[in-house]
Amino acid sequence: MSITHTPLPVSFFGMAVGSLAWSHTWRAAIEIWPMPAVLAQLAAGLSLTVWLAVLVAYARKWQKQQAAARLELNHPVMSAMTSLGPVSTLLAAITLRPWLPELAWSLYALAMPIQLALGLWWVGRFWQGGRAPESVNASAYLPGVAQNLVAATASASMGYPELGALFFGAGVFSWLAMESLVLQRAATQTPLPEAQRPLQGIQIAPPVVAGMAYLSLTSGPPDLFVQMLLGYGVYQCLMAARLLYWTGQGGFAPSYWAFSFGVMAMATVATRILQRAPEQALWQLLAPSLFVLANVVMAVLVVRTLDSARRGQLTL
């Protein structure tokens, strides 16, 4: 396997986020379908390994190549990807909680203030103006939306649902505000460069990551609101499928991992809804279908990523 040893892009945290979200999908699945628990444990172990590897490599980047890291932090597009660091750490905390609750809480306590400060810093730059419309794409959801929604889920998981509710509100309303900017840029400016088009896969994530947070903060039968969130997520997934040829004109790149979080969260939400409403025929059909889709997407991403690495086209 040949890998080019250049500074690791912060966007590689997308692999950790997608892998950890995939393990959460498996955790939900074994709770309602007769499958060995070891499969979910294996998924958790693999995803935590990916997260730790990326985290160590990115920390080394700041130690050895600070100029490249700072340049990335101030880039109009790549800077949004820095939020994937605390997002992946919060997901890792959720993953670890059943086995190592003290370590999970420590990761949660570390990542929460970082994600909040980073989100306020990044979104605050929007308020200061001067951003070229062409620099806006779906990665803009990551600092104000993904961070807050995952913080809501993590807070509920750690036993702080009231705090989680606050972050849920921040994430949902940030999503509604940001989506208008993303859609306006897409509709009125020149088409996205081919290298940035896979980032539109992030568009799937906000409603279903919000659905995960909402389910973690509530109990009882699934209400209309969470079904609305899942419905919009499925709609965005279908839209992504409709645009897949256009998206793929630049060939495969690690940026395709942008699809992973939304697809995994969509399957998890459907599975959790089925768990709460097992008698409903729609969820009996939709949940396993989306679970299969999530695993197919994960398999494709892993195979294509490893193939890129083998051919020396994966930057590490």
Side-chain angles (χ1 to χ4, degrees), residues 78-252:
M78 294 300 293
S79 60
M81 303 292 180
T82 57
S83 63
L84 293 172
V87 165
S88 64
T89 302
L90 288 171
L91 291 172
I94 297 170
T95 305
L96 284 167
R97 188 183 60 83
W99 302 293
L100 297 169
E102 293 83 4
L103 177 58
W105 190 91
S106 298
L107 291 174
Y108 167 78
L110 174 66
M112 286 291 283
I114 294 175
Q115 69 85 20
L116 181 59
L118 189 60
L120 291 172
W121 172 78
W122 194 92
V123 176
R125 296 197 303 179
F126 259 75
W127 288 91
Q128 294 173 312
R131 176 177 290 269
E134 296 79 9
S135 69
V136 177
N137 57 43
S139 66
Y141 291 120
L142 297 175
V145 182
Q147 287 188 172
N148 284 316
L149 293 176
V150 174
T153 304
S155 295
S157 176
M158 297 297 161
Y160 309 115
E162 295 83 3
L163 181 61
L166 298 181
F167 279 106
F168 179 72
V172 167
F173 287 108
S174 295
W175 160 39
L176 298 178
M178 199 61 70
E179 180 147 330
S180 63
L181 293 176
V182 174
L183 183 57
Q184 182 185 39
R185 181 266 180 266
T188 62
Q189 303 296 320
T190 56
L192 281 171
E194 290 182 354
Q196 292 186 21
R197 291 178 187 177
L199 296 177
Q200 293 305 102
I202 299 171
Q203 191 73 32
I204 303 170
V208 287
V209 177
M212 288 177 58
Y214 186 76
L215 288 171
S216 70
L217 292 165
T218 60
S219 60
D223 60 20
L224 176 62
F225 185 61
V226 74
Q227 295 178 58
M228 289 169 56
L229 291 172
L230 179 58
Y232 190 55
V234 171
Y235 180 79
Q236 289 295 339
C237 186
L238 293 172
M239 183 65 71
R242 176 253 187 270
L243 295 172
L244 197 56
Y245 175 77
W246 175 79
T247 302
Q249 289 178 348
F252 181 80

Side-chain angles (χ1 to χ4, degrees), residues 35-56:
M35 294 186 293
V38 68
L39 295 177
Q41 295 167 0
L42 179 61
L46 290 172
S47 65
L48 288 167
T49 301
V50 172
W51 165 72
L52 186 59
V54 175
L55 184 65
V56 169

